[in-house]
Amino acid sequence: MNYWLVANPEAGDGQRGRDFWLQNLANAGITSPKCCDLQEQAWKAQVKPDDIVMVAGGDGSVNAGAQLCLERNATLAVLPSGTANDFARNLDLPEDPAALCELVQRGATQQVDVAEFGDGIFLNVAHVGLGTLPARESQGAAKKLFGRFSYGFELLRRVNAKRGFHAEITCDEAFVRGRWLSIAISSGAFFGGGNEIPQATADDGMLDIIAVKPRPLVQLLLTFLMVRFSGKSPNRTSTVVHLKGKRCDVITSKPKTVTVDGDEAGKTPLHVVCRKHCLRVIGVSVVRTGEAESSRSGSPQQGVYGS
């Protein structure tokens, strides 16, 4: 078995780079891992099914590492080093780097879901609408200064300028149409730097679709606070629609930018399928938010709705 270390030097504040993780890995008994760059191709063909690919970076780097592990049937180990680190939150990994490296050395694994769209995958969330702006515009000094909170600042700065867009959302047997401010399709339980999705988990074989309607800023904030503090899905309200399903289609009246795990990934229409338990990762459990256990018995919302 080989250990491969992929470290993104641009991730986060740059303090958890290759040297940082090499020291912690060595202390845990993993010495001289093969250090690689995701942009290079030659080493990827050498990865074997029993190897562990350790990715030190943000969600974008982890996404690329997951694609490689799926192709080579290898195990993904996440060494959180980015701004948001939402996929790492799903895995309930130790916050202490030394404890995390010891977990990698022990080799404890679990199976989690992956969302598949077109020729790509995502581990956290795909966004259409307002939710794409943080990934596209929260860059440079603001991202370095505010970290994961830069995503929220960017949304607040732009929300009043958005009137929404027309779209149809089909999710298994559910169907909604109308004008939306943002549509998020999640494979896990977190997005945007730690925002929880009620009744969600990364291994239930289901997608969570959160669609937000254009509303005054105060109403949007009140809805966000209600969900945040109650830990429960709002189901269908005048502001938010929450759907669950194994697949989801989003069709917009005009092509809209799609982002996945923080990177641009094309335009709508968007067709997503959840692949259950297809990715092997280092970890011993996954986080279950709100009423995730009870949600396994059915979708929070089914039916056909208009605008």
Side-chain angles (χ1 to χ4, degrees):
M1 180 183 72
N2 293 315
Y3 290 96
W4 305 83
L5 175 61
V6 182
N8 180 0
E10 302 298 322
D13 58 10
Q15 308 220 348
R16 289 192 169 195
R18 178 179 295 178
D19 292 340
F20 173 88
W21 288 109
L22 281 173
Q23 182 61 56
N24 280 278
L25 289 166
N27 293 340
I30 301 176
T31 58
S32 303
K34 299 176 184 292
C35 295
C36 308
D37 187 334
L38 277 173
Q39 303 304 317
E40 299 175 357
Q41 300 298 320
W43 68 276
K44 297 179 181 179
Q46 302 175 40
V47 176
K48 299 178 181 179
D50 59 347
D51 288 354
I52 295 179
V53 178
M54 304 176 294
V55 179
D59 289 321
S61 298
V62 172
N63 182 303
Q67 293 186 56
L68 173 62
C69 289
L70 288 172
E71 293 170 3
R72 308 299 298 176
N73 195 27
T75 299
L76 174 68
V78 181
L79 308 179
S81 307
T83 302
N85 301 315
D86 283 314
F87 184 63
R89 287 185 174 87
N90 282 298
L91 305 181
D92 199 20
L93 297 173
E95 293 185 7
D96 177 35
L100 174 55
C101 290
E102 291 173 2
L103 180 63
V104 176
Q105 195 278 331
R106 291 202 305 272
T109 63
Q110 59 182 325
Q111 303 288 131
V112 297
D113 306 338
V114 165
E116 188 176 69
F117 71 102
D119 295 328
I121 65 166
F122 62 88
L123 303 175
N124 297 319
V125 65
H127 272 121
V128 180
L130 185 65
T132 67
L133 290 177
R136 296 158 62 191
E137 299 186 12
S138 288
Q139 304 294 334
K143 192 170 182 180
K144 293 289 185 183
L145 178 63
F146 298 114
R148 66 187 178 91
F149 297 106
S150 64
Y151 299 121
F153 293 157
E154 187 62 37
L155 287 178
L156 290 176
R157 184 175 72 84
R158 296 293 296 271
V159 69
N160 281 331
K162 287 291 178 180
R163 299 178 57 191
F165 58 95
H166 285 286
E168 297 180 351
I169 308 170
T170 304
C171 178
D172 291 359
E173 297 179 0
F175 174 79
V176 291
R177 71 161 64 93
R179 182 176 286 276
W180 309 99
L181 189 65
S182 177
I183 299 172
I185 304 174
S186 174
S187 177
F190 300 95
F191 73 96
N195 294 310
E196 293 186 6
I197 298 174
Q199 306 175 353
T201 177
D203 68 348
D204 62 356
M206 303 289 279
L207 301 168
D208 283 86
I209 298 87
I210 308 293
V212 181
K213 301 176 182 179
R215 294 292 183 265
L217 179 58
V218 172
Q219 186 174 345
L220 292 171
L221 288 174
L222 287 175
T223 302
F224 170 79
L225 291 173
M226 177 189 72
V227 174
R228 184 71 181 234
F229 289 112
S230 71
K232 297 180 180 179
S233 167
N235 289 345
R236 185 174 186 244
T237 71
S238 63
T239 305
V240 178
V241 171
H242 184 184
L243 306 173
K244 272 187 176 290
K246 297 178 181 179
R247 60 177 61 240
C248 178
D249 297 327
V250 176
I251 299 175
T252 54
S253 57
K254 298 180 180 179
K256 300 287 293 182
T257 297
V258 176
T259 60
V260 300
D261 291 347
D263 294 325
E264 289 193 41
K267 302 283 187 179
T268 55
L270 176 62
H271 308 288
V272 184
V273 176
C274 182
R275 294 176 55 191
K276 185 175 182 179
H277 293 181
C278 68
L279 178 63
R280 187 168 63 251
V281 298
I282 292 292
V284 294
S285 64
V286 294
V287 173
R288 288 169 166 77
T289 60
E291 301 173 333
E293 286 295 336
S294 62
S295 73
R296 292 174 182 272
S297 61
S299 167
Q301 178 180 342
Q302 297 289 342
V304 180
Y305 302 104
S307 57

